[in-house]
């Protein structure tokens, strides 16, 4: 079916990834209210008869995501939605993820970038390591939310072995957890 994009914030709340230009190009970080977002969904749903939405922000913070999900549930909206997020600690919390799923979230696009702990740390990614990534993916899959992964190879200082480790890790996630791969950037 048709899908409507919705932007809810400017910039990225994390703002630390070494490869990202948002801290330099998108101005001061800011977001709207969860109430405004859900009111917009209600209006768009009525006007266009569409039930599928994508939040097109670079990454949505956990408390904001939860407020949107709770407002969707409170308004008894029958929608499906997905967004981009970081591998944040909240995604290890099954109750948090259940709220997302109940509200209609069926996928999360996540910036894995690397399957090597040293490169993740060097990139200044939010996730601590591969074990943390695995824990989050297990929780998401337990609630039938599809992880969609962004991957990057060839990051400065990355060795051939580290690139191969990333490829092996991504293939494992695809095979064992049915993760989707959004693409591989070089």
């Amino acid at each position: 079916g048709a899908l409507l994009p919705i932007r809810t914030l400017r910039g990225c709340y994390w703002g630390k990834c070494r490869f990202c230009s948002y801290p330099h190009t998108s101005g001061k970080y800011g977001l709207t209210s969860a109430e405004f977002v859900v009111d917009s969904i209600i209006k768009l749903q009525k006007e266009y008869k569409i039930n599928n939405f994508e939040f097109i922000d670079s990454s949505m913070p956990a408390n904001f995501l939860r407020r949107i999900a709770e407002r969707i549930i409170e308004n008894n909206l029958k929608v499906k939605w997905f967004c981009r997020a970081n591998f944040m600690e909240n995604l290890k919390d099954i109750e948090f993820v259940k709220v997302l799923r109940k509200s209609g979230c069926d996928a999360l696009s996540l910036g894995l970038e690397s399957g090597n702990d040293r490169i993740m740390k060097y990139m200044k990614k939010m996730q601590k390591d591969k074990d943390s990534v695995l824990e989050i993916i297990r929780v998401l899959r337990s609630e039938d939310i599809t992880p969609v992964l962004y991957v990057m190879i060839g990051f400065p200082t990355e060795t051939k072995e580290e690139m191969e480790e990333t490829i092996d890790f991504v293939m494992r996630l695809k095979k064992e957890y049915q993760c989707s791969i959004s693409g591989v950037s070089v």
Side-chain angles (χ1 to χ4, degrees):
L3 176 76
L4 274 179
I6 297 177
R7 181 170 305 282
T8 68
L9 55 84
R10 180 181 61 248
C12 176
Y13 72 100
W14 181 245
K16 296 178 185 176
C17 297
R18 284 183 183 250
F19 54 80
C20 186
S21 64
Y22 280 132
H24 312 287
T25 62
S26 65
K28 187 178 176 202
Y29 168 71
L31 69 162
T32 187
S33 72
E35 293 73 23
F36 179 80
V37 171
V38 175
D39 288 348
S40 297
I41 289 172
I42 292 168
K43 288 176 188 164
L44 291 166
Q45 194 179 34
K46 284 180 183 167
E47 186 170 343
Y48 296 104
K49 310 287 187 262
I50 288 179
N51 298 318
N52 300 310
F53 297 89
E54 175 188 5
F55 298 116
I56 59 172
D57 312 292
S58 61
S59 184
M60 297 176 76
N63 57 350
F64 185 56
L65 256 183
R66 183 172 188 129
R67 284 198 312 269
I68 289 172
E70 288 170 345
R71 293 279 301 173
I72 288 171
I73 294 166
E74 287 165 15
N75 283 278
N76 199 29
L77 300 179
K78 302 297 179 227
V79 296
K80 284 190 177 184
W81 61 272
F82 70 97
C83 69
R84 290 164 193 83
N86 284 310
F87 277 96
M88 52 196 164
E89 289 293 304
N90 304 69
L91 293 176
K92 294 178 180 178
D93 176 1
I94 190 72
E95 296 308 316
F96 177 85
V97 173
K98 281 179 187 271
V99 171
L100 298 183
R101 184 66 185 128
K102 184 177 179 185
S103 73
C105 176
D106 61 0
L108 285 178
S109 296
L110 300 160
L112 171 65
E113 316 311 358
S114 178
N116 175 271
D117 292 346
R118 183 188 77 81
I119 293 295
M120 283 182 206
K121 186 174 182 175
Y122 183 62
M123 287 179 170
K124 297 186 178 180
K125 293 300 297 175
M126 187 177 286
Q127 65 265 26
K128 286 183 248 157
D129 53 31
K130 288 195 308 191
D131 289 339
S132 180
V133 166
L134 277 170
E135 187 177 347
I136 288 168
I137 286 177
R138 286 185 189 115
V139 172
L140 292 174
R141 292 311 294 154
S142 75
E143 291 303 312
D144 200 28
I145 294 176
T146 301
V148 180
L149 306 176
Y150 289 100
V151 182
M152 211 182 269
I153 58 170
F155 199 72
T157 78
E158 187 176 38
T159 66
K160 180 177 185 264
E161 292 74 26
E162 288 168 331
M163 286 181 213
E164 289 171 351
E165 184 181 346
T166 292
I167 293 165
D168 291 345
F169 187 58
V170 169
M171 296 313 291
R172 174 185 173 200
L173 296 176
K174 185 172 173 55
K175 182 178 179 185
E176 291 181 27
Y177 300 99
Q178 296 74 51
C179 292
S180 292
I181 311 304
S182 179
V184 179
S185 299
V186 178

